[in-house]
Amino acid sequence: MNQDIQTILLSKDRLKEIVADLGKRISEDYKDKNLLMVSVLKGSVVFMADLMRAITIPCRIDFMSVSSYGSGVKTSGVVKIVKDLDIPLEGYDLLIVEDILDSGMTLSYITELLEARGTRSIRLCTLLDKPERRKADIQADYVGCVVPDEFVVGYGLDYDEKYRNLPYVGILKPEVYSK
Protein backbone atom coordinates (compact mmCIF):
# COMPACT_ATOMS: atom_id res chain seq x y z
CA MET A 1 0.00 0.00 0.00
CA ASN A 2 2.78 2.45 0.85
CA GLN A 3 4.10 2.25 -2.72
CA ASP A 4 0.75 3.71 -3.93
CA ILE A 5 1.23 6.88 -1.89
CA GLN A 6 2.66 9.90 -3.67
CA THR A 7 3.20 12.07 -0.57
CA ILE A 8 2.43 11.79 3.14
CA LEU A 9 0.39 14.85 4.13
CA LEU A 10 -0.17 14.11 7.82
CA SER A 11 2.10 11.78 9.75
CA LYS A 12 0.91 9.58 12.59
CA ASP A 13 2.43 12.05 15.09
CA ARG A 14 0.81 15.07 13.43
CA LEU A 15 -2.57 13.31 13.49
CA LYS A 16 -2.16 12.73 17.24
CA GLU A 17 -1.51 16.46 17.75
CA ILE A 18 -4.55 17.44 15.68
CA VAL A 19 -6.84 15.04 17.53
CA ALA A 20 -5.55 16.18 20.95
CA ASP A 21 -6.19 19.82 20.03
CA LEU A 22 -9.69 19.10 18.73
CA GLY A 23 -10.49 17.00 21.82
CA LYS A 24 -9.43 19.82 24.12
CA ARG A 25 -11.50 22.41 22.25
CA ILE A 26 -14.58 20.18 22.09
CA SER A 27 -14.28 19.31 25.79
CA GLU A 28 -14.21 23.02 26.67
CA ASP A 29 -17.07 23.97 24.35
CA TYR A 30 -19.34 21.12 25.48
CA LYS A 31 -18.52 21.04 29.21
CA ASP A 32 -22.08 22.01 30.23
CA LYS A 33 -23.88 20.29 27.37
CA ASN A 34 -25.33 16.87 26.62
CA LEU A 35 -22.83 15.73 23.98
CA LEU A 36 -23.71 13.04 21.47
CA MET A 37 -21.02 12.34 18.90
CA VAL A 38 -22.21 10.84 15.62
CA SER A 39 -19.64 9.13 13.44
CA VAL A 40 -20.34 8.99 9.74
CA LEU A 41 -19.16 5.52 8.75
CA LYS A 42 -16.94 4.13 7.44
CA GLY A 43 -14.34 6.82 6.86
CA SER A 44 -14.56 8.57 10.20
CA VAL A 45 -14.33 5.50 12.45
CA VAL A 46 -10.56 5.79 13.07
CA PHE A 47 -10.79 9.54 13.70
CA MET A 48 -13.86 9.10 15.94
CA ALA A 49 -12.15 6.42 18.05
CA ASP A 50 -9.15 8.67 18.69
CA LEU A 51 -11.24 11.83 19.13
CA MET A 52 -13.58 10.37 21.74
CA ARG A 53 -10.57 9.27 23.78
CA ALA A 54 -9.23 12.84 23.60
CA ILE A 55 -12.48 14.27 24.97
CA THR A 56 -12.46 14.65 28.74
CA ILE A 57 -16.17 15.17 29.42
CA PRO A 58 -19.06 12.69 29.42
CA CYS A 59 -20.41 11.92 25.96
CA ARG A 60 -22.37 9.31 24.11
CA ILE A 61 -21.68 8.02 20.63
CA ASP A 62 -23.72 6.67 17.77
CA PHE A 63 -23.05 5.75 14.16
CA MET A 64 -24.64 6.54 10.86
CA SER A 65 -23.68 5.08 7.52
CA VAL A 66 -24.37 6.92 4.30
CA SER A 67 -23.25 6.37 0.77
CA SER A 68 -22.60 8.94 -1.92
CA TYR A 69 -19.48 7.71 -3.69
CA GLY A 70 -19.73 4.06 -4.67
CA SER A 71 -16.31 3.01 -5.93
CA GLY A 72 -15.61 6.21 -7.86
CA VAL A 73 -13.42 9.17 -6.97
CA LYS A 74 -16.07 11.91 -7.18
CA THR A 75 -19.33 12.23 -5.27
CA SER A 76 -22.42 11.04 -7.09
CA GLY A 77 -24.54 13.78 -5.49
CA VAL A 78 -27.05 11.18 -4.32
CA VAL A 79 -26.98 10.43 -0.59
CA LYS A 80 -28.35 7.11 0.63
CA ILE A 81 -28.75 6.25 4.32
CA VAL A 82 -27.39 2.75 4.83
CA LYS A 83 -27.58 2.72 8.67
CA ASP A 84 -29.52 5.27 10.69
CA LEU A 85 -28.89 6.32 14.29
CA ASP A 86 -30.03 4.14 17.20
CA ILE A 87 -30.37 6.92 19.81
CA PRO A 88 -33.32 9.39 19.76
CA LEU A 89 -31.82 12.88 19.39
CA GLU A 90 -34.13 14.98 21.56
CA GLY A 91 -32.19 16.96 24.14
CA TYR A 92 -28.74 16.21 22.76
CA ASP A 93 -26.08 18.59 21.58
CA LEU A 94 -25.00 16.76 18.48
CA LEU A 95 -21.48 16.74 17.08
CA ILE A 96 -21.28 15.10 13.65
CA VAL A 97 -17.79 13.64 13.19
CA GLU A 98 -16.62 13.24 9.61
CA ASP A 99 -13.34 12.23 8.01
CA ILE A 100 -13.36 14.79 5.19
CA LEU A 101 -15.51 17.72 4.12
CA ASP A 102 -15.16 18.27 0.39
CA SER A 103 -18.28 18.94 -1.73
CA GLY A 104 -20.32 19.21 1.48
CA MET A 105 -23.33 17.58 -0.13
CA THR A 106 -23.38 14.57 2.19
CA LEU A 107 -22.90 16.60 5.39
CA SER A 108 -25.46 19.18 4.28
CA TYR A 109 -28.02 16.43 3.74
CA ILE A 110 -27.23 14.71 7.06
CA THR A 111 -27.35 17.98 8.99
CA GLU A 112 -30.77 18.89 7.57
CA LEU A 113 -32.09 15.43 8.30
CA LEU A 114 -30.86 15.43 11.91
CA GLU A 115 -31.95 19.01 12.67
CA ALA A 116 -35.53 17.90 12.15
CA ARG A 117 -35.18 15.32 14.95
CA GLY A 118 -35.22 17.71 17.91
CA THR A 119 -31.56 18.20 18.75
CA ARG A 120 -30.62 21.15 20.97
CA SER A 121 -27.72 21.97 18.67
CA ILE A 122 -25.69 20.54 15.81
CA ARG A 123 -22.07 21.23 15.04
CA LEU A 124 -19.68 19.60 12.59
CA CYS A 125 -16.19 18.29 13.21
CA THR A 126 -14.07 17.16 10.30
CA LEU A 127 -10.55 15.85 10.30
CA LEU A 128 -9.86 17.20 6.81
CA ASP A 129 -11.35 20.12 4.92
CA LYS A 130 -11.13 20.62 1.13
CA PRO A 131 -12.80 24.02 0.65
CA GLU A 132 -11.96 24.19 -3.09
CA ARG A 133 -14.39 21.32 -3.73
CA ARG A 134 -17.35 22.80 -1.83
CA LYS A 135 -20.69 22.68 -3.64
CA ALA A 136 -23.02 22.99 -0.63
CA ASP A 137 -23.15 26.00 1.68
CA ILE A 138 -21.69 24.31 4.75
CA GLN A 139 -18.69 24.88 7.00
CA ALA A 140 -17.29 22.77 9.81
CA ASP A 141 -17.14 24.17 13.33
CA TYR A 142 -14.03 22.13 14.09
CA VAL A 143 -11.42 21.46 11.40
CA GLY A 144 -8.33 19.36 11.93
CA CYS A 145 -6.50 20.43 8.78
CA VAL A 146 -7.16 22.03 5.41
CA VAL A 147 -5.84 19.83 2.60
CA PRO A 148 -5.22 20.45 -1.09
CA ASP A 149 -7.60 19.22 -3.76
CA GLU A 150 -5.89 15.83 -4.09
CA PHE A 151 -7.17 12.29 -3.58
CA VAL A 152 -6.25 11.49 0.03
CA VAL A 153 -6.33 8.12 1.79
CA GLY A 154 -5.33 6.62 5.11
CA TYR A 155 -6.46 7.02 8.72
CA GLY A 156 -9.93 5.78 7.72
CA LEU A 157 -10.12 7.37 4.28
CA ASP A 158 -10.26 4.95 1.39
CA TYR A 159 -10.18 4.38 -2.29
CA ASP A 160 -12.46 1.49 -3.24
CA GLU A 161 -12.37 0.22 0.39
CA LYS A 162 -8.55 0.08 0.47
CA TYR A 163 -5.94 2.13 2.38
CA ARG A 164 -8.18 2.86 5.43
CA ASN A 165 -5.66 1.13 7.71
CA LEU A 166 -2.69 3.35 6.85
CA PRO A 167 -1.57 5.16 10.04
CA TYR A 168 -1.12 8.46 8.16
CA VAL A 169 -2.96 10.56 5.56
CA GLY A 170 -1.34 10.56 2.14
CA ILE A 171 -2.00 11.57 -1.43
CA LEU A 172 -2.81 8.57 -3.60
CA LYS A 173 -0.87 8.35 -6.86
CA PRO A 174 -3.20 9.23 -9.76
CA GLU A 175 -2.25 6.10 -11.69
CA VAL A 176 -3.85 4.01 -8.91
CA TYR A 177 -7.35 5.47 -9.29
CA SER A 178 -7.30 6.37 -12.97
CA LYS A 179 -7.03 2.77 -14.20
Side-chain angles (χ1 to χ4, degrees):
M1 289 188 302
N2 291 310
Q3 71 277 6
D4 294 340
I5 303 303
Q6 180 176 303
T7 308
I8 294 176
L9 284 179
L10 299 170
S11 68
K12 185 177 179 178
D13 290 339
R14 180 66 184 122
L15 286 166
K16 280 184 183 179
E17 292 170 3
I18 289 168
V19 170
D21 178 61
L22 288 170
K24 181 179 177 188
R25 289 176 45 215
I26 291 165
S27 296
E28 290 169 4
D29 291 350
Y30 283 84
K31 67 182 172 202
D32 297 321
K33 299 188 186 234
N34 192 16
L35 176 59
L36 172 62
M37 298 172 64
V38 172
S39 173
V40 182
L41 297 174
K42 298 177 188 171
S44 69
V45 72
V46 176
F47 175 45
M48 173 77 149
D50 288 345
L51 183 62
M52 66 187 212
R53 287 188 298 241
I55 291 175
T56 58
I57 59 167
C59 65
R60 292 186 74 181
I61 63 168
D62 203 348
F63 300 90
M64 179 175 230
S65 181
V66 298
S67 173
S68 63
Y69 284 90
S71 64
V73 296
K74 295 195 187 291
T75 183
S76 65
V78 177
V79 178
K80 175 181 149 192
I81 296 180
V82 179
K83 184 225 175 282
D84 207 342
L85 299 174
D86 296 324
I87 299 173
L89 300 182
E90 295 85 13
Y92 281 104
D93 295 289
L94 200 64
L95 181 64
I96 300 172
V97 179
E98 182 63 287
D99 54 353
I100 189 164
L101 175 55
D102 49 20
S103 75
M105 293 172 70
T106 301
L107 272 179
S108 180
Y109 176 82
I110 291 170
T111 302
E112 261 185 56
L113 177 75
L114 299 180
E115 279 176 344
R117 295 187 185 178
T119 62
R120 286 202 306 217
S121 67
I122 295 182
R123 288 187 178 174
L124 304 174
C125 176
T126 186
L127 174 64
L128 306 176
D129 189 10
K130 265 193 213 181
E132 300 87 20
R133 305 240 326 137
R134 199 81 77 245
K135 292 181 181 175
D137 184 22
I138 190 165
Q139 300 297 321
D141 301 280
Y142 303 94
V143 175
C145 184
V146 176
V147 294
D149 188 12
E150 300 281 352
F151 199 100
V152 292
V153 295
Y155 197 69
L157 292 107
D158 76 303
Y159 167 64
D160 202 20
E161 293 299 324
K162 297 176 189 128
Y163 307 101
R164 290 189 195 278
N165 56 324
L166 290 173
Y168 55 81
V169 173
I171 297 173
L172 191 62
K173 291 178 180 174
E175 57 266 22
V176 175
Y177 58 85
S178 59
K179 293 179 185 175

